[in-house]
Amino acid sequence: LTILKEKGKMVNRYPGIHGLAHKDTYAQIMKLAHYIDAESFSFVPPQFNFPYDRSIFDEYHSKHPNLTYIAKPIASAEGVGILLFK
């Protein structure tokens, strides 16, 4: 465990945290987990990585046209660039 001080904040860094901290990698891990054991991971909402999952998203959206979606940058945006869209 390394503790870094940056801009007056303390941040914990654990080996292998990239998979949980980066949304694109986390989405891939959750898709694999859902594929292996759908019942145990049924709480995870559908996730799409653009542009790779565009056709999958289009198909999902056509079946669920009234949902609101959240779009987030891949990493290091610190909350900047998050969008809600229908």
Side-chain angles (χ1 to χ4, degrees), residues 13 18 20-25 72-81:
R13 299 287 181 194
H18 178 272
L20 297 176
H22 290 199
K23 288 167 266 320
D24 58 336
T25 307
K72 298 180 179 182
I74 292 175
S76 302
E78 298 179 353
V80 176

